[in-house]
Amino acid sequence: MNQKNSCRIINFDKLPSVIGYGAVVGKKEAEGPLGHCFDIAYSDEFFGEETFEKAETHLQKTAIETAIKKAMLAKHDIDCAFSGDLLNQCIGSSFGMRELRIPFAGLYGACSTMALSLIMAGAFTNSGYCKNAIAAASSHFCSAERQYRLPLEYGGQRTPAAQWTVTGAGAAVVSEHTENTPHLKNAIIGRVRDLGITDTNNMGAAMAPAAAETIGDYLKQTDTSPADYDLILTGDLGLTGTNLLIKLLKDEYKTDISEIHKDCGTMIFNTKTQDVHCGGSGCGCSASVVCSLIFNQLKAKELNKVLFVGTGALLSPTSSLQKESIPGIAHGILITS
Amino acid sequence: MNQKNSCRIINFDKLPSVIGYGAVVGKKEAEGPLGHCFDIAYSDEFFGEETFEKAETHLQKTAIETAIKKAMLAKHDIDCAFSGDLLNQCIGSSFGMRELRIPFAGLYGACSTMALSLIMAGAFTNSGYCKNAIAAASSHFCSAERQYRLPLEYGGQRTPAAQWTVTGAGAAVVSEHTENTPHLKNAIIGRVRDLGITDTNNMGAAMAPAAAETIGDYLKQTDTSPADYDLILTGDLGLTGTNLLIKLLKDEYKTDISEIHKDCGTMIFNTKTQDVHCGGSGCGCSASVVCSLIFNQLKAKELNKVLFVGTGALLSPTSSLQKESIPGIAHGILITS
């Protein structure tokens, strides 16, 4: 890990605020341990739409509308929305934006998108480019399965390291500094790291090296240690990826985060009873957990300092067919009470 | 066009500079009217790689390396790269970043990506979040055709409104204000606009309404008129889209830009002799034109005030199969000498 350059810390000196947030999920997520935290839960996979893709668009759009409403703003008060999803050409985001008609900057960070969108919204509000900005991300189990893996009708057997793509979306309205809200303090944009994992059913292992590097870099650059945080929260490493992250940080950075680490993928589902194997994944996993439980706890000052590290696997079905390994990326943002 | 909100102008008060830029293209582009402007031109479609997708990765990576070299910097001097492409999950960008190991924020704006990446790099350098940032985008005719349309081997007939996806990439290094370089002055992030075009071979028509709105909004918000610019440059509207843009701006905004408008799609190819029908398209079209000819002319002060408006069609093959119309988006950035 002797990198000549480390990722630069981006400081949000004006401490922009998350003044509203919303999380919208599907049935399985509502039945999980965090079911009571979400704003809206649907009982089927279609939400009144005709296709899974349109359902995902509906999901993200509803999360954004919920966040705007809870911020007591209207659509036309939002200067820019930063969002993304896993679908080809990010149609989960862009088709929702067609209806919302908010200036829209599309992002692609795979499952790290919620962290990336929060960083962008933080940067643009902190600098006064935007008064109010949206950060959002979504995923849908059914649209993701048929795009990345197999048609659902095929009934493919899932491997032990597999994770379950969350049907969910989260959105936050970021605005100027306001008391008694979660604040965005600083951030780190990560580098792509690939240690050669080729098993597309083991995303946790593919993403863990990038997460380790981003967290390790962040702690080094900010001259802090795990004890300085209430929580280091990764996006969707799941059980396998979490174990690898802890190990990699010990090996490469001589840092043990096990005491204060949690992973949204192992929080959103009960990995023992919900048949999700290693946990949840997808852009909507960390998006829905952060934009419900985590922001709630920061607002209530039950948590005061959370380093949220979104993790993404930057593969496509084409790259895997072409025998490429799976590059990972992780972006971090420090959120304070 | 009675929109309650207009898109906000983002001001880069410190006038960040484009201190290095590079454009790398394929054979057909090298044979076009701008052939002499590009840094590197390849004579086949593979550039020594095994697949079209890996060739596109190679293309974008080479453009970025060229820009960094021309800025007289090294990879580790770059704090962040903003880039994207048209491939599913943006693998043209992310796999290149795996090798470059520069902190990477992935964007998805379809063919508007070069404008979006310049806006992001401008915003992050203007605010001091980055000292040096990369803005880049790429496309590849062969990878785009087989992903969006038909296998090349099929030899499908092209319709008259069709455009030819440019095999090309452009990259710029944006840094603090420096004399005698192109400067980024302000920007507008556009909204998704969809007037119901469903013909996936007529991208120009699908993107023109968004371009008209972004240009109209920009002129209104900045209280300027077309005569205040040396050039209003759209990304890849092609011949059909250009005609529609001129008409829409006259109808909706009572503005005539025809005297000072050019379109990268009609500049990069000779539409009369190169069998490209309505012109070039793809993220690499405006990326390679802006990161060669346009920056050259700004540097030489042959142009002093260019409003570059990247235009994107936010469809996917899935959305088209599901009978969705094609949403367009356009982002604008003012570049001065």
Side-chain angles (χ1 to χ4, degrees), chain B residues 38-284:
Chain B
F38 305 119
D39 294 279
I40 300 171
Y42 290 102
S43 57
D44 73 352
E45 291 78 35
F46 286 103
F47 325 145
E49 302 290 340
E50 285 178 344
T51 68
F52 299 143
E53 290 74 18
K54 290 181 190 184
E56 183 171 340
T57 294
H58 180 100
L59 201 63
Q60 188 180 123
K61 186 170 155 274
T62 307
I64 292 172
E65 287 170 337
T66 305
I68 294 173
K69 198 174 164 191
K70 286 168 72 181
M72 291 185 287
L73 295 175
K75 276 191 299 182
H76 62 258
D77 295 318
I78 310 295
D79 297 313
C80 189
F82 298 90
S83 79
D85 57 83
L86 289 173
L87 296 181
N88 295 344
Q89 288 71 54
C90 299
I91 54 171
S93 304
S94 52
F95 279 81
M97 290 299 164
R98 178 174 69 174
E99 290 162 52
L100 291 168
R101 299 275 293 141
I102 295 169
F104 168 52
L107 302 178
Y108 188 76
C111 307
S112 74
T113 303
M114 191 66 215
L116 188 58
S117 65
L118 278 172
I119 293 171
M120 293 296 171
F124 272 64
T125 48
N126 187 65
S127 298
Y129 300 135
C130 293
K131 190 170 184 304
N132 304 303
I134 288 279
S138 64
S139 57
H140 190 299
F141 175 76
C142 303
S143 62
E145 281 298 306
R146 78 166 163 194
Q147 179 183 280
Y148 280 97
R149 298 183 187 92
L150 296 162
L152 289 174
E153 295 81 356
Y154 182 79
Q157 186 78 5
R158 295 159 51 77
T159 64
Q163 292 170 245
W164 187 277
T165 305
V166 164
T167 299
V173 179
V174 181
S175 191
E176 60 193 343
H177 185 82
T178 313
E179 291 301 313
N180 300 315
T181 61
H183 301 116
L184 308 180
K185 193 168 162 71
N186 58 40
I188 183 168
I189 292 178
R191 286 177 292 189
V192 178
R193 191 176 183 205
D194 185 339
L195 293 191
I197 299 290
T198 52
D199 177 3
T200 57
N201 289 305
N202 194 351
M203 294 295 161
M207 297 187 288
E213 182 176 272
T214 296
I215 295 170
D217 262 15
Y218 180 87
L219 295 175
K220 201 169 67 177
Q221 299 270 325
T222 54
D223 198 19
T224 56
S225 71
D228 294 320
Y229 301 87
D230 295 335
L231 175 65
I232 294 180
L233 180 74
T234 47
D236 55 346
L237 295 178
L239 297 172
T240 305
T242 294
N243 290 339
L244 287 169
L245 170 67
I246 303 293
K247 186 173 173 355
L248 282 166
L249 275 169
K250 280 185 190 161
D251 290 353
E252 296 179 341
Y253 290 88
K254 314 296 170 214
T255 299
D256 184 359
I257 63 163
S258 56
E259 291 293 316
I260 47 120
H261 173 262
K262 282 186 184 175
D263 181 74
C264 300
T266 61
M267 293 163 74
I268 195 166
F269 294 126
N270 184 325
T271 52
K272 293 203 175 78
T273 60
Q274 284 192 291
D275 191 28
V276 293
H277 297 219
C278 271
S281 67
C283 304

Side-chain angles (χ1 to χ4, degrees), chain A residues 308-326:
Chain A
F308 164 44
V309 180
T311 47
L314 299 170
L315 80 167
S316 83
T318 304
S319 67
S320 297
L321 285 171
Q322 293 180 358
K323 301 195 195 305
E324 280 284 5
S325 52
I326 306 170

Side-chain angles (χ1 to χ4, degrees), chain A residues 44-58:
Chain A
D44 71 354
E45 291 78 35
F46 285 103
F47 325 146
E49 302 290 340
E50 286 178 344
T51 68
F52 299 143
E53 290 74 17
K54 290 182 189 183
E56 183 171 340
T57 294
H58 180 99

Side-chain angles (χ1 to χ4, degrees), chain A residues 116-156:
Chain A
L116 188 58
S117 65
L118 278 172
I119 293 171
M120 293 297 170
F124 272 64
T125 48
N126 187 66
S127 298
Y129 301 136
C130 293
K131 189 170 184 304
N132 304 302
I134 288 280
S138 64
S139 57
H140 190 300
F141 175 76
C142 304
S143 62
E145 281 298 305
R146 79 165 163 195
Q147 179 184 281
Y148 280 97
R149 297 182 187 93
L150 294 163
L152 290 174
E153 295 80 356
Y154 182 78

